[in-house]
Amino acid sequence: MFGFTKKKNFRYNIGVPETPKFGEMINGQACGPVSRFRYGICPMSFNGCEVIAVHNALVWLGIPQSLADIAFYMERFRVLMGFFGCNAYKIGKALRHFGAESAGSRRIGDSLAYIVTFWTKRPFFSSIHTVFCVKKEKGTEVYNSGNGCTCVRVYEDIRQYIGERKPIAIYRIK
């Protein structure tokens, strides 16, 4: 059809120098070689936030995996050939596959670390974005907060980042 299969993407992705180095968090999905990784029919700079959120959670847990391996596994959950990224309700399954314990939730509650998916603007008329977050004494660290943001952003709490938009999916990392 389009010539983009998960196996072709995997072969392509393992040939892209992984940045940051293995075991390091990813911020700024549209920056550097990470942006050239493929997921579905698009470069990961366009649709890779769910894959990057899982990657960052695994790094934080101390069980890092290669970005190419995570993307390969998560290809089975892509929406409309990956044009709309990954099915946000399958993130927990991907975490479990790689050995992470998580629980889907309606609320963040007292979770120390979590993945949250939310509408960037008006529900169903805008895109979604998925980020990995860690609560710290100084506030909530948000990883991969935006395409061009190559640093960790710290917010008072997640509402300061997503506003009043209701999260689509939350995975509390255990």
Side-chain angles (χ1 to χ4, degrees), residues 6-7 9-10 13 39 51 67-76:
K6 68 183 203 172
K7 288 181 182 177
N9 281 348
F10 180 71
N13 288 343
Y39 181 75
V51 174
L67 188 60
D69 287 338
I70 297 168
F72 180 71
Y73 179 77
M74 292 181 71
E75 286 266 2
R76 67 190 69 208

Side-chain angles (χ1 to χ4, degrees), residues 30 51 99-100 117 131 153:
V51 174
T117 300
V131 293
R153 294 282 173 116

